[in-house]
Each structure stands twice: as structure tokens, then as C-alpha cells.
Amino acid sequence: MEKTVKPPRRSVFADEQFRTLYFADATSKLGTYVGLVALPVLAQTVLDAGAAQVGLLTALNTLPFLLIGLPVGAWMDRRHKRGILIAADLGRAALAASIPVAWLLGLLTMTQLYAVTFLSGALTVFFDIGHLSYLPHVVGRSRLTSANASLSGLEEVASVSGQGIGGYVVQLIGPAFAALVDAVSFAWSAFLVSRIKVKEPDLRPAARRPMWRDAVSGLQYVLADPVLRPLAFKGAAANLVGQIFLVSFLVLIVSDLRLSAGTLGVVLAAGGVGAFFGSLAAPTIGRRLGVGRSIWIVGMCTSPFALLIAFMDRGPLLWVGAAGWVVAAVVFGLENVLGVSIRQTITPDEMLGRMNAGFRFIFMGALSGGAALGGLIGSYAGVRSAIWIGSVIFALSWLIIYFSPLRHGRRIDEFVK
């Protein structure tokens, strides 16, 4: 009996529209991570900011998701996404460009840094929710895992290269001019998105009901779903801890240990290295262990290495802590790929924007809370205490998935209603 030969699976990169979206993301994220290093260093070295101010500055970047994330998700479900992505990119470019201008004129203040960070965060709400809802239309649902693996890998490469390069860019040209890299990257991203020619589905007539009810429905949908809810809580725990670490690293390395911005960039990039390998391995591990089982098994094996981070100091201990951060962060990349693919696959088209807004509301709330908490603990108990608290939470966070319906899940279609 003659065997049927299956045609080779077409790579998602064979799709020109996806490639364009991918490179738009690449330029935008690279600049964003350069800015992630530049602004806190600028605040500390030029404006003498302390741990609490750095924590507030970091928190303001994600606070808009708490304030407007849910209504933006509901509004986005009633709009085509491409034009919104372009407008958000151009707005962020203009805000980033204002920083070196103010510095040159001697007018730069913490108030401006707070305002730029907050407004950029507000535009990021529109971009991120729109991007997540736009992707299924660009690649189709059957290729979402492959597309998300590529985009998650890109996220981690941008994290590694952007933060690593960012530290050295800050050393070479100063933190104020490093913000220009961010501005250029957003402008280039807007140009690339404008070249994507994907026909979005016709919009359904909006139901005659208050916008606030649609906004809240996204959060309710996430919290009521037995599969989406643990993914949301697990991601929130990771984001909370990630921001505690970020604020603590910024203060520990720059202010306490008096190390260079380049060293800061390397330490920040260490987590991206682990997450990058996690995102690369996610499709294979997901097929072999199962999409749900992979998240908690990998988390159980890698998350406890976060405890090594608390031993960071001058000399070899700095790199012992950084190595622990590399291993612990593997689950970030794996969870980004598998978790996002699960939620995009099991959610109907008409709920995508609101579902993504619900997740973003929870995730960014955790980011804002983590940044503020890291700053407060760092100010009153020391940054090492903050790192210890974050490390313990992260080491145990895999239990959220273990005690959920995802514990035994092997294939995404098992969760489709």
C-alpha cells in the first residue's frame, strides 16, 4: 500500500505580511529596551533620583493599562487595528524625541520623565492590545503557535540585545541621546506596519450597550474561564517579580555597587537570554510534554534558580546571580509562547480585543505593583530584601499551573469549548 507523503509544513516566515510585522516589532522592541536602560540611568545620574523615584518612573510605564486597558480592549473590538498601531508608534516616537531636546535646553525634570513615561505607556496600551488582536488575522489561527514562538523569541532577543546594547549606548553618548534610538525605532515600526496589506474582517455592528459593560466583560471572561484564569495569575506573578528585580537591579548596580551602565545592561539582558532559549524550545517541549504540563514542569525545574539572584555583589557573585537569572527566566519565554497561543486559539474573534485587554489589565497591574513595591521595599528595607522576596515568590509560582486544569493538558484543542 502506497504511503501518502505529507507536504512540508510552510514556515510562517514564508508569509510576507508576517515578515513585515515581525521586523516592525524588531525595530520597536530594540529601541524600547534601550530606553528601558536610558531613562532610569538618566533619572539617577542627572536628576539624582532615588529608589522610590526609579520605582515610580518604572510603574508609570504600565499604570495606563490599569486605567484605560479594559475600555481600550472593548473599543478595539469595534475598530480595525492597523491604523491604530501606526498612530501609537508615531506618538511614542514624538514623546521619546522630546527628552534629548529638553536636556539640551537645560529644561529636563523628573516631571517630564514621569509624563513621557506615562503617556508612552498609554499609547502602548493601544499598540499591544491591537497587535495581539491583529496577529490572528495576519497568520491565521492554525499558525499561531509558530508565529508566537517567533515573536516571543524576538522579544527575548530584543531584551538581550536592547538592554545590553543600551547600557553601552548610554556610556558612549549619554542617557539623554540614547532616548533618540527609541524615537527612531518607533518611527520605523510605524512605516513597516503601514506596508502590511491584510484585509481585516468586516466589523460587526456594535451592540447598543454601554462601553463600560463591554470593557468589564473582557476581565470577567478571563477570570471566569478555568483555563485562562490560571494563565493570568501565573503571568501576573511573573510580572510582579520581574519588576521587583528590575527596580532592584537598577538601584543595586548603579547606586549601591557603583558599577557601569554597561554592566547593568549585561545583568538586565541575562534574563532575556534564558527567556530566549525558553521561547525557542517552547514548540518542541509543548509537543513532547503537552502545552499545559510544559509550563509547570519547566517552571518547577528552573524557577528555584532565582534564589541565586539575591547573592549578587561585586566580583564573581555578580555573575553567579546573573547565571541564576538566566536559568530562572527560561520559563518566561516558554510561557509566553504556549500561554499566548492557548488564549488566542480558544477565544472567539469577537472577544479577542477584550480578552487581550483583560490579560493586559492583570499583567500590567502586576507590573505597576511590582515596580512600586520594589521601590518601597528598596527604600525602607534595602534592595536585597526586595530581591529575596521576589525570588521566593518566583520559585513557587509554578504551583499556580500545577493546581489548575492545565496540569494534564497536552494539546491546545483540548481546551477549545
Side-chain angles (χ1 to χ4, degrees), residues 1 13 36 63 94 106 125 130 132 158 163 234 263 319 366 375 404:
M1 184 175 181
F13 279 101
L36 185 67
L63 181 62
V125 174
L132 286 169
Q163 293 179 98
K234 175 64 170 64
T263 302
W319 306 114
S404 80

Side-chain angles (χ1 to χ4, degrees), residues 20-30 86 89-90 93 127 180-195:
T20 305
L21 182 64
Y22 181 89
F23 287 117
D25 258 15
T27 54
S28 175
K29 290 183 185 304
L30 180 65
I86 295 169
D89 267 339
L90 292 176
F127 187 90
L180 276 179
V181 177
D182 209 7
V184 172
S185 73
F186 285 133
W188 184 247
S189 174
F191 169 73
L192 289 175
V193 173
S194 72
R195 295 176 61 82

Side-chain angles (χ1 to χ4, degrees), residues 9-322:
R9 183 175 295 180
R10 184 169 174 261
S11 168
V12 70
F13 279 101
D15 188 323
E16 181 183 356
Q17 306 304 316
F18 175 74
R19 288 200 308 272
T20 305
L21 182 64
Y22 181 89
F23 287 117
D25 258 15
T27 54
S28 175
K29 290 183 185 304
L30 180 65
T32 296
Y33 281 108
V34 171
L36 185 67
V37 177
L39 294 193
V41 171
L42 181 66
Q44 291 180 85
T45 58
V46 175
L47 301 175
D48 297 321
Q53 289 172 300
V54 171
L56 176 59
L57 183 66
T58 307
L60 285 173
N61 190 45
T62 51
L63 181 62
F65 279 89
L66 286 176
L67 302 180
I68 63 172
L70 294 178
V72 166
W75 181 81
M76 196 73 72
D77 278 334
R78 306 179 184 189
R79 301 288 188 281
H80 287 132
K81 282 59 174 188
R82 190 176 69 110
I84 297 169
L85 299 181
I86 295 169
D89 267 339
L90 292 176
R92 291 187 292 180
L95 287 166
S98 73
I99 293 172
V101 172
W103 180 77
L104 284 171
L105 296 174
L107 301 175
L108 186 67
T109 63
M110 283 301 300
T111 300
Q112 181 183 352
L113 289 185
Y114 289 149
V116 167
T117 300
F118 179 79
L119 293 174
S120 295
L123 291 172
T124 299
V125 174
F126 287 89
F127 187 90
D128 281 6
I129 294 173
H131 183 273
L132 286 169
S133 303
Y134 190 45
L135 181 62
H137 303 312
V138 174
V139 301
R141 290 179 185 269
S142 64
R143 294 189 292 169
L144 276 175
T145 298
S146 177
N148 281 317
S150 299
L151 290 171
S152 181
L154 167 65
E155 172 80 27
E156 310 316 335
V157 169
S159 172
V160 173
S161 58
Q163 293 179 98
I165 293 170
Y168 290 105
V169 169
V170 168
Q171 281 188 208
L172 290 173
I173 64 175
F177 283 115
L180 276 179
V181 177
D182 209 7
V184 172
S185 73
F186 285 133
W188 184 247
S189 174
F191 169 73
L192 289 175
V193 173
S194 72
R195 295 176 61 82
I196 298 175
K197 307 301 179 186
V198 172
K199 180 174 173 54
E200 298 182 57
D202 293 334
L203 297 169
R204 298 183 180 183
R208 293 181 175 276
R209 59 189 180 200
M211 179 71 79
W212 67 265
R213 187 172 297 172
D214 268 357
V216 174
S217 69
L219 183 60
Q220 291 173 330
Y221 180 80
V222 171
L223 295 178
D225 190 284
V227 173
L228 298 179
R229 183 172 59 247
L231 289 174
F233 290 164
K234 175 64 170 64
N239 283 357
L240 179 80
V241 171
Q243 289 299 93
I244 290 175
F245 286 162
L246 173 61
V247 172
S248 300
F249 291 162
L250 290 167
V251 177
L252 177 69
I253 293 172
V254 174
S255 298
D256 292 0
L257 300 181
R258 302 289 181 181
L259 297 174
S260 67
T263 302
L264 170 64
V266 172
V267 172
L268 291 177
V273 172
F276 172 65
F277 284 111
S279 65
L280 284 183
T284 300
I285 295 176
R287 284 193 299 270
R288 295 190 177 182
L289 296 181
V291 291
R293 295 173 73 235
S294 296
I295 298 174
W296 73 262
I297 290 174
V298 173
M300 178 182 64
C301 295
T302 63
S303 297
F305 281 86
L307 297 171
L308 293 175
I309 300 171
F311 295 100
M312 278 188 179
D313 208 331
R314 280 182 168 271
L317 283 177
L318 181 70
W319 306 114
V320 170

